[in-house]
Amino acid sequence: MLDLALPPRCNGRGAVVEADGRYCFACWGKLRLMGDPCCARCGLPFSYERGEASECGACLADMPTFDQLRAAVAYGEVSSGIALMLKYG
Ligand SMILES: [Zn+2]
Ligand SMILES: [Zn+2]
């Protein structure tokens, strides 16, 4: 009954979705999921496999102080909204 009166909405654009915490097709398509192949240190995606423990040019030029960093999604229109919602409740 509650879903009928207040249907679950996408956190990105407010479109009605199946359940709380889900994203609509438009927003899901804008999320750039991170994964291999990527820089072994900062996680920057590579367009092709460079071999295990390969690091990007930025890391090689100015070595970060951390050993490894990973993010679920790249920063963008939808993911920045997620970060702001987490930050401001
Ligand atoms: Zn959406
Ligand atoms: Zn890197």
Side-chain angles (χ1 to χ4, degrees):
M1 190 67 154
L2 183 59
D3 282 353
L4 195 60
L6 298 169
R9 301 241 175 218
C10 168
N11 289 331
R13 302 174 64 167
V16 174
V17 291
E18 290 179 18
D20 285 330
R22 297 217 175 152
Y23 284 84
C24 69
F25 184 75
C27 291
W28 184 254
K30 290 180 181 176
L31 287 173
R32 184 174 166 208
L33 302 177
M34 307 291 273
D36 291 329
C38 67
C39 171
R41 187 167 299 269
C42 74
L44 180 77
F46 293 151
S47 57
Y48 59 91
E49 183 60 53
R50 295 185 181 183
E52 195 171 322
S54 291
E55 295 178 341
C56 70
C59 286
L60 292 173
D62 186 15
M63 192 62 69
T65 55
F66 54 84
D67 291 332
Q68 192 175 54
L69 175 74
R70 291 293 178 271
V73 294
Y75 191 80
E77 179 185 339
V78 176
S79 58
S80 65
I82 296 169
L84 290 174
M85 284 190 297
L86 288 170
K87 187 174 180 180
Y88 298 110

